Amino acid sequence: MKRLLAQIGITYFSVLAAAFYLSDFAVMIIGGVAALLVILFFIIKRARQTIFLPAMAIAALVACIINIGYTALFVKPYVEQYGDAVHTVRAELADEPYRSYSKYYYKLNVKEIDGEKVGQKLLLKTIRPLDAETDEILTFTSELKVTDNNYYRAKGYFLNADSLEISVNVKPAVHHSLYYYALQLRQYMRKALDTLLPKDCAALCRAVLIGDKYALGTEVRDNFRYAGASYFIVVSGIHFAVICLLIERLLRRANRWVRLVIMLLFILAYAAITGFQPSVLRSGIMMAMLMIANTIRRQTYPLNHLGIAGIIMPFIVSPYGAGDIGLILSFYATLAILMWASPIAKKLCRKDQYGNILTFQPGAFARSCGERIKGLFSKNKPKKPDKQPFSFKLWLTKLYNAIALMLSVSLAANILTFPVSVFVFREISLVTLLSALLLYWEIYLILILSFAVCVFFWFRTLAVLLSFPLMWLCRLVLWIVDGLSSLPFAYIRISQSFVYIWLAVTVLLGIAVILYRNHYRYLKTAALCSAIILLTGCLLHEILEISTLSLEVYPCGSGICAGINSGSHLHLLSMDAKSNELYDVWDSLCAHYDGADSAFCGDEDDLRKYQMYREDEFAISKIMLYDKKGLYKDEENIVSFDDDCTMITDDEIVLNVSVSDDIAVPYVNAGNKTILLIPDGCRIEDIPPERRQADIIILSKAFAGMENLRCESLIVSDDTMTARRTADALKACYQHVYFTDNGDVRCRLR
């Protein structure tokens, strides 16, 4: 009975999280199976002897009912009534805006839509920043689009306003909420770190301490992801626990009830400062229950605390909140650590003759130093403690055990989070365990020192002294992460089809283990086989991708959408299509790539399309823009030009651009091939004579004089019959003619 709440809570949360990603029909099937199991458990006499199985079946049934009811009663009416239509919105700015990839994001609590009171959330995206603060009232008219991003849907943002030109009227706040003052404290902490530390170090401290990951540059965030250490630059449950245990340690001499009140207030305040992140709330609930249990002198059961957090969390945010990927990873990492970290540590660590694990004891060392300091100022000098003789072998054993303990925690956490990460992100980092070993202590020292710098910022001398070791720790971490991310095969992308194959094989292995009599004996073997299949497939895919260099032309109705795949790195050559026709193209790109290394923009309109469609999960590192007015010279990640130029985007990709009559015509040397892209409005006179012959020519419309062009392969990016008839008439000039109306066109360049 001790773990009843754990089993109920974990089952309820797991089913609710799975229901978020499944269709309504699948959720109904799961609910029907759960209802049938509940009935059978109450009919079968042997099943009634234990409460665990019926309780878990009831938890699964309740989770399905809540998901279906929330979807039918709240989500669908809101989306169907206001989605994909122009409305006038009056809303309150609920949080600090943030910038990501040249867009500004504003989280709004809607007050009115077209004069009708509405109590929902809305995400506003703009190209330019708004002069608005939290709790101020924003009024604007825009098309409200249905959000298809699961990250925002899990946070309750089912509609978003994403327009290039939007006029927003801002009115001062009538009153400020308590959350506003938490944000003011966050700004104070940000100011303290920015004042005392260099920009890159302050950005890392802000990410670790208050979850401000957007302060980090795109390259740094990518390096953390490639090194498998992204969880270090978000405020997760373990960050929260470290700060809470530090405060609790400082208050150890206070009255237990006073300590409880202070700790509960601190938990609430720090959760508010970090923006009430779901993973932080989960950890805060568990820490609060731990503090209450210790205060009333009751035995604690961490798994029960986790189960209670799993029940409470979806009600705090919303039933869809269980689908937040950060919360899912935090929840299952905590579950895995509580269940398997200790058994793994017992297997890895070395023990003394009494069966105890030998480790360093920082607490005992600190107490010893404290006693010596007290002895210096006391008249009666204490007796010197008996010193144990130094043993190099014992010291090495303790060092090995310290590493083994960290490794056991990382291994345990990855048992459940690794499959989830592979399925959701379709990527793995082969150096994630090494990152954990090398960065564990540095990151949490940075967390503690950053907190101390913010607390003592008013005492500038002490804050400056603390900032020096903090700065060097930050630089050490950035150097380690940069090195790890640069290792061969450190980061591997996985195709979606292979993920499904691997999951199917893993499920079959699991079924075989369950059906076999001594299934626990073969569980390790099945898990090892699954891991070997995954790693072998990923490495083979990566090795094959290294030699890949191909041109990809995507179907987009009209216009040219093309890119070059260079060993799983994407270089966009054009995204010239209507806005509504680009949705499917961007969805396809997001499924195959995590971003683009470079992108070419022939004019400002192309730049707006990139800014409109690139979301947080699809970053464009460098944009090459024909900027005839010189408006974007100082913009981050933009390389502007206003005349003929040559740019090297990759070791085997050279982009030559000729400019004539405000039209930029790209001519690409890639591998052993040359590629000519002919934008709309281009004339034969705009193309230099020496570039009118290419191995591959891409165009969307026929134009006068095109019979003077020569190539091996002509790719027509147009789905109209006129384009097909024109190209058919010119087949004598070309060896091959391809059309994008039947799907992607791919050509090997090497």
Side-chain angles (χ1 to χ4, degrees):
M1 294 293 290
K2 290 182 179 180
R3 294 187 176 181
L4 178 61
L5 283 175
Q7 291 178 314
I8 293 174
I10 293 168
T11 303
Y12 173 78
F13 178 84
S14 301
V15 175
L16 203 58
F20 174 78
Y21 292 97
L22 298 175
S23 64
D24 293 342
F25 181 72
V27 176
M28 292 177 67
I29 291 177
I30 295 174
V33 172
L36 182 62
L37 289 175
V38 170
I39 296 172
L40 291 176
F41 285 140
F42 280 102
I43 293 175
I44 299 173
K45 184 178 180 180
R46 182 176 295 180
R48 291 202 304 268
Q49 294 177 357
T50 176
I51 195 175
F52 293 104
L53 294 178
M56 292 170 66
I58 292 173
L61 176 60
V62 171
C64 292
I65 292 173
I66 289 177
N67 177 271
I68 294 171
Y70 184 74
T71 302
L73 298 177
F74 294 95
V75 179
K76 282 188 176 179
Y78 175 56
V79 170
E80 291 175 355
Q81 183 174 358
Y82 301 110
D84 298 326
V86 178
H87 299 281
T88 299
V89 179
R90 182 175 176 270
E92 182 182 73
L93 185 57
D95 207 336
E96 281 187 324
Y98 63 92
R99 185 184 183 187
S100 178
Y101 304 116
S102 301
K103 269 193 177 181
Y104 296 87
Y105 291 72
Y106 297 85
K107 298 178 180 179
L108 307 178
N109 289 329
V110 179
K111 300 296 183 183
E112 296 178 358
I113 298 181
D114 296 334
E116 181 182 355
K117 290 186 177 180
V118 177
Q120 289 283 357
K121 295 181 178 180
L122 181 70
L123 187 67
L124 173 64
K125 306 177 187 179
T126 63
I127 299 297
R128 298 177 182 85
L130 302 177
D131 186 13
E133 292 186 354
T134 307
D135 292 338
E136 292 187 336
I137 305 299
L138 278 61
T139 305
F140 59 91
T141 300
S142 175
E143 181 184 3
L144 303 185
K145 302 174 183 177
V146 179
T147 303
D148 57 358
N149 188 316
N150 285 330
Y151 173 81
Y152 292 112
R153 291 181 69 247
K155 295 182 180 298
Y157 297 96
F158 307 119
L159 295 178
N160 67 85
D162 187 1
S163 178
L164 293 177
E165 298 295 339
I166 184 170
S167 177
V168 181
N169 182 30
V170 181
K171 291 185 178 180
V174 177
H175 63 275
H176 287 297
S177 61
L178 291 176
Y179 184 57
Y180 171 82
Y181 298 102
L183 295 181
Q184 295 298 112
L185 187 55
R186 185 198 297 178
Q187 291 179 6
Y188 168 82
M189 298 171 75
R190 188 183 295 127
K191 178 183 177 182
L193 296 170
D194 289 343
T195 302
L196 297 175
L197 295 169
K199 184 178 179 180
D200 56 342
C201 299
L204 178 60
C205 293
R206 285 164 55 181
V208 172
L209 181 62
I210 59 178
D212 190 6
K213 67 176 182 179
Y214 295 104
L216 294 169
T218 306
E219 183 179 355
V220 176
R221 275 183 280 166
D222 288 344
N223 286 342
F224 271 93
R225 190 171 83 254
Y226 298 156
S230 296
Y231 56 90
F232 281 130
I233 56 172
V234 294
V235 179
S236 61
I238 193 168
H239 291 68
F240 191 75
V242 167
I243 293 293
C244 287
L245 292 175
L246 174 65
I247 300 298
E248 196 269 342
R249 186 67 179 170
L250 295 174
L251 297 172
R252 66 184 184 278
R253 296 187 181 277
N255 178 274
R256 58 189 174 123
W257 294 104
V258 174
R259 183 169 63 245
L260 175 63
V261 172
I262 294 175
M263 286 304 304
L264 292 179
L265 290 175
F266 177 79
I267 288 172
L268 181 62
Y270 191 64
I273 290 171
T274 57
F276 291 112
Q277 295 294 326
S279 58
V280 174
L281 287 176
R282 190 273 312 158
S283 180
I285 293 171
M286 293 185 66
M287 289 298 300
M289 288 187 289
L290 176 64
M291 298 296 174
I292 293 172
N294 289 337
T295 301
I296 62 177
R297 311 286 172 80
R298 298 292 183 184
Q299 187 176 0
T300 59
Y301 296 99
L303 278 173
N304 277 348
H305 298 168
L306 181 64
I308 295 172
I311 296 172
I312 295 175
M313 274 300 304
F315 288 101
I316 295 178
V317 184
S318 74
Y320 279 10
D324 183 271
I325 189 61
L327 176 60
I328 292 173
L329 292 175
S330 175
F331 187 90
Y332 285 116
T334 305
L335 173 62
I337 290 171
L338 292 176
M339 292 182 64
W340 296 306
S342 181
I344 293 174
K346 290 178 181 179
K347 294 287 185 181
L348 295 179
C349 293
R350 295 184 178 180
K351 304 173 184 177
D352 61 11
Q353 57 184 342
Y354 304 106
N356 300 318
I357 296 176
L358 299 171
T359 57
F360 295 109
Q361 298 180 348
F365 177 75
R367 286 193 296 272
S368 175
C369 293
E371 292 295 332
R372 294 193 178 191
I373 293 173
K374 288 181 181 178
L376 295 175
F377 297 96
S378 63
K379 295 181 180 179
N380 300 322
K381 294 185 178 181
K383 294 181 180 180
K384 294 183 178 180
D386 296 332
K387 287 187 176 181
Q388 294 182 352
F390 175 78
S391 171
F392 189 69
K393 181 179 179 181
L394 179 63
W395 188 87
L396 285 179
T397 302
K398 289 183 177 181
L399 178 62
Y400 169 80
N401 284 347
I403 296 173
L405 287 172
M406 288 190 291
L407 186 61
S408 63
V409 172
S410 298
L411 282 171
N414 276 279
I415 290 174
L416 292 180
T417 59
F418 183 76
V420 175
S421 299
V422 169
F423 182 75
V424 174
F425 301 114
R426 296 189 298 276
E427 61 187 30
I428 61 172
S429 174
L430 300 183
V431 295
T432 183
L433 294 179
L434 182 59
S435 299
L437 292 177
L438 295 178
L439 298 175
Y440 183 87
W441 288 107
E442 293 93 329
I443 290 292
Y444 295 117
L445 281 175
I446 288 174
L447 176 65
I448 294 170
L449 287 175
S450 299
F451 183 75
V453 165
C454 294
V455 170
F456 294 107
F457 183 58
W458 58 273
F459 186 27
R460 189 61 62 89
T461 303
L462 180 57
V464 170
L465 290 176
L466 291 172
S467 67
F468 280 104
L470 179 58
M471 177 184 66
W472 288 110
L473 275 172
C474 291
R475 288 181 173 170
L476 175 62
V477 166
L478 293 174
W479 178 75
I480 292 174
V481 169
D482 182 61
L484 290 174
S485 64
S486 303
L487 292 175
F489 306 110
Y491 169 82
I492 298 176
R493 291 279 296 180
I494 311 171
S495 65
Q496 191 171 11
S497 57
F498 177 72
V499 170
Y500 288 131
I501 293 172
W502 170 70
L503 285 175
V505 172
T506 302
V507 169
L508 290 175
L509 288 172
I511 293 173
V513 169
I514 292 173
L515 294 177
Y516 203 82
R517 287 186 177 181
N518 298 323
H519 54 275
Y520 290 109
R521 179 181 175 186
Y522 297 99
L523 182 61
K524 296 178 182 178
T525 304
L528 182 61
C529 290
S530 175
I532 291 174
I533 292 170
L534 176 63
L535 293 177
T536 303
C538 292
L539 288 174
L540 287 175
H541 178 266
E542 191 72 7
I543 291 171
L544 293 174
E545 281 288 337
I546 289 176
S547 59
T548 298
L549 187 65
S550 62
L551 171 68
E552 301 175 351
V553 185
Y554 317 109
C556 58
S558 60
I560 299 175
C561 296
I564 294 178
N565 176 10
S566 173
S568 75
H569 295 280
L570 179 64
H571 302 272
L572 293 174
L573 301 178
S574 177
M575 278 288 148
D576 182 19
K578 294 180 180 179
S579 298
N580 59 343
E581 294 172 337
L582 281 175
Y583 281 113
D584 294 337
V585 176
W586 283 105
D587 287 342
S588 176
L589 292 179
C590 289
H592 291 86
Y593 304 97
D594 59 339
D597 287 13
S598 63
F600 174 78
C601 292
D603 53 36
E604 193 173 347
D605 289 338
D606 287 348
L607 177 63
R608 290 197 183 101
K609 290 174 183 176
Y610 285 132
Q611 291 173 332
M612 178 182 294
Y613 288 99
R614 49 181 187 164
E615 297 288 345
D616 293 347
E617 68 275 8
F618 195 86
I620 301 177
S621 302
K622 181 175 66 174
I623 294 177
M624 296 161 287
L625 171 66
Y626 172 47
D627 184 17
K628 59 184 177 181
K629 297 180 181 179
L631 301 177
Y632 298 91
K633 288 185 177 180
D634 299 325
E635 286 287 334
E636 185 181 4
N637 298 337
I638 293 180
V639 179
S640 62
F641 62 92
D642 57 5
D643 203 350
D644 295 0
C645 64
T646 299
M647 289 173 282
I648 300 175
T649 60
D650 195 86
D651 291 340
E652 294 187 273
I653 303 173
V654 179
L655 181 64
N656 302 281
V657 185
S658 58
V659 178
S660 176
D661 289 340
D662 294 336
I663 294 178
V665 182
Y667 182 86
V668 185
N669 294 89
N672 301 325
K673 304 289 185 179
T674 55
I675 306 165
L676 174 63
L677 277 79
I678 303 178
D680 289 344
C682 181
R683 302 170 302 171
I684 193 68
E685 295 83 7
D686 298 331
I687 306 173
E690 66 275 9
R691 296 179 184 173
R692 294 175 188 174
Q693 293 187 9
D695 296 312
I696 302 171
I697 294 179
I698 309 173
L699 55 83
S700 61
K701 293 180 181 179
F703 63 97
M706 64 175 294
E707 64 275 3
N708 295 320
L709 301 174
R710 292 292 181 269
C711 66
E712 293 180 4
S713 302
L714 175 68
I715 301 176
V716 182
S717 181
D718 195 346
D719 56 1
T720 62
M721 290 303 298
T722 304
R724 183 179 288 273
R725 285 195 297 267
T726 303
D728 287 341
L730 295 172
K731 275 188 176 180
C733 303
Y734 317 113
Q735 295 183 15
H736 306 285
V737 179
Y738 303 98
F739 296 88
T740 59
D741 56 349
N742 295 323
D744 293 358
V745 176
R746 288 182 169 84
C747 300
R748 300 287 295 185
L749 301 176
R750 180 176 50 210

